[in-house]
Amino acid sequence: MRTFFNVQDIGDLGKALAEAQEVKSNRFGYQHLGKNKTLLMIFFNNSLRTRLSTQKAAMNLGMNVIVLDVNAGAWKLETERGVIMDGDKSEHLLEAIPVMSSYCGIIAVRSFAGLQDRDFDYAETIVNQFVRYSGKPVVAMETATVHPLQAFADLITISEKCGELQIRRPKVVLTWAPHCRALPQAVPNSFAEWMNAADVDLVVTHPEGYELDPKFVGDAKVEYDQRKALEGADFVYAKNWSCPGVTNAADYGKILSKDMAWTIDTEHMSWTNNGYFMHCLPVRRGLIVTDDVIESDHSLVIPEAANREISAQVVLKRVLENI
Ligand code: CP
């Protein structure tokens, strides 16, 4: 594996899930792979889980890790070509990328959507420059449109619970929930993409106008009635996202609804098949989910976060095996 952005990059999902369990039971068994190799983790945006879990995964593999917070201590980076750099941006990304790549063997990047220009975001303009100009393997730690380390961890979590409960083909519902800020679509995009590739029955539910890009939602059933969608669900994956601009490009990145009837509470969970609540975290209680649901014994948010270490370790292991 040389880049990790989409579900296709991981190949056969059954093999990837089996490898996740192998890595989980033998976290320090592959230290020879990372000896004297360096992972550079570049953050254009904040993180708790991705930062800690990816660093831990790399350390499990025996790697050295450098973390750069671009907006806290580095020169402010210009990303556009053809501009006169007489503002507050002192360095251009096109010099910074080859310089940064000269210090490492693998680059991991977090760069969120700006939510101003759909074409710029959906072309993955920033991370594609890392792929093009670094000459190094590039791993997405959440880009403008995808968050594959999260989706892989979510799939590991669902697979583990299905194994425990002997559920063969679970009903998985991705539900929009309200939020006070405009959030990117990377998490729901990747979740839909990975669930479509997995052996699950995926239903996506959201208010009209929040349709996800068909590239990710594929043939999944879209149900605008949240209650109907949740009926019989084994897993409820709640997430807010701003307007993806699929049905109306002018609305891209906007908040179209703050309807609190979509907040996941105990009544919503009572419509499910004794279902499990999932969220990638961080989550705003009272908006996305109520305290009692997230604190219940049917909340999987902590196992999901713990599995971020495993998804990152499988991905880094595979990259290291191909360097
Ligand atoms: N879920 C997730 O990516 O969390 P962080 O933003 O804290 O890394």
Side-chain angles (χ1 to χ4, degrees):
M1 188 191 301
R2 210 174 149 76
T3 59
F4 181 65
F5 291 92
N6 297 105
V7 70
Q8 294 83 3
D9 296 325
I10 201 87
D12 183 282
L13 278 183
K15 283 186 185 158
L17 288 169
E19 193 169 333
Q21 293 310 315
E22 159 59 20
V23 160
K24 201 166 185 173
S25 63
N26 185 22
R27 287 171 210 235
F28 307 108
Y30 303 93
Q31 296 225 328
H32 58 285
L33 290 172
K35 187 172 163 48
N36 295 332
K37 303 272 183 4
T38 299
L39 172 69
L40 173 59
M41 297 168 56
I42 302 168
F43 289 92
F44 288 84
N45 309 94
N46 294 341
S47 169
L48 188 152
R49 278 143 293 274
T50 305
R51 174 186 303 259
L52 297 179
S53 62
T54 309
Q55 184 162 358
K56 177 66 164 58
M59 293 190 311
N60 291 349
L61 289 162
M63 299 189 79
N64 302 312
V65 182
I66 305 172
V67 181
L68 178 69
D69 287 296
V70 171
N71 297 318
W75 302 111
K76 207 165 180 187
L77 292 175
E78 176 59 65
T79 57
E80 304 281 332
R81 286 188 73 245
V83 294
I84 296 170
M85 290 172 55
D86 59 357
D88 62 342
K89 295 175 179 169
S90 306
E91 177 150 24
H92 202 287
L93 194 59
L94 293 181
E95 284 80 58
I97 289 173
V99 168
M100 292 188 285
S101 73
S102 73
Y103 305 137
C104 65
I106 302 174
I107 295 179
V109 188
R110 166 164 284 201
S111 176
F112 288 175
L115 298 179
Q116 301 299 314
D117 180 339
R118 187 179 201 281
D119 291 341
F120 183 89
D121 289 343
Y122 272 72
E124 291 289 7
T125 310
I126 302 292
V127 292
N128 277 337
Q129 294 189 65
F130 280 89
V131 174
R132 189 164 173 195
Y133 297 113
S134 72
K136 297 287 162 66
V138 178
V139 172
M141 296 194 297
E142 186 169 343
T143 70
T145 67
V146 292
H147 196 359
L149 289 171
Q150 181 65 51
F152 186 18
D154 295 331
L155 180 59
I156 294 168
T157 310
I158 289 171
S159 166
E160 288 173 341
K161 190 50 79 178
C162 285
E164 187 186 316
L165 301 177
Q166 301 200 324
I167 301 173
R168 203 194 61 74
R169 186 177 164 84
K171 178 175 178 181
V172 177
V173 178
L174 168 61
T175 178
W176 178 93
H179 202 277
C180 50
R181 296 179 59 194
L183 298 186
Q185 297 109 42
V187 169
N189 282 346
S190 282
F191 187 77
E193 180 190 46
W194 283 66
M195 290 303 126
N196 276 326
D199 191 17
V200 310
D201 172 19
L202 174 66
V203 178
V204 183
T205 185
H206 51 72
E208 288 192 33
Y210 280 98
E211 290 76 13
L212 293 167
D213 194 299
K215 177 168 95 172
F216 299 106
V217 85
D219 294 329
K221 180 176 168 56
V222 176
E223 170 59 68
Y224 294 105
D225 182 329
Q226 191 193 30
R227 180 174 183 149
K228 273 192 196 161
L230 290 174
E231 279 168 3
D234 297 297
F235 297 93
V236 176
Y237 196 94
K239 184 73 183 83
N240 173 267
W241 61 90
S242 61
C243 175
V246 169
T247 50
N248 183 3
D251 282 341
Y252 176 65
K254 290 186 181 159
I255 295 174
L256 304 180
S257 170
K258 289 187 180 177
D259 187 351
M260 299 282 280
W262 287 73
T263 301
I264 302 298
D265 60 12
T266 49
E267 188 187 359
H268 287 72
M269 293 305 290
S270 75
W271 302 331
T272 71
N273 180 29
N274 203 21
Y276 285 84
F277 175 80
M278 300 180 72
H279 189 279
C280 61
L281 302 182
V283 70
R284 294 205 184 216
R285 292 182 181 209
L287 289 175
I288 302 284
V289 61
T290 55
D291 293 311
D292 44 9
V293 170
I294 197 167
E295 291 171 6
S296 78
D297 61 4
H298 272 224
S299 170
L300 293 177
V301 296
I302 306 304
E304 283 176 84
N307 277 331
R308 290 293 306 275
E309 178 183 341
I310 306 306
S311 64
Q313 190 165 340
V314 171
V315 168
L316 291 173
K317 174 176 170 284
R318 289 189 173 196
V319 175
L320 287 167
E321 285 167 343
N322 283 288
I323 283 181

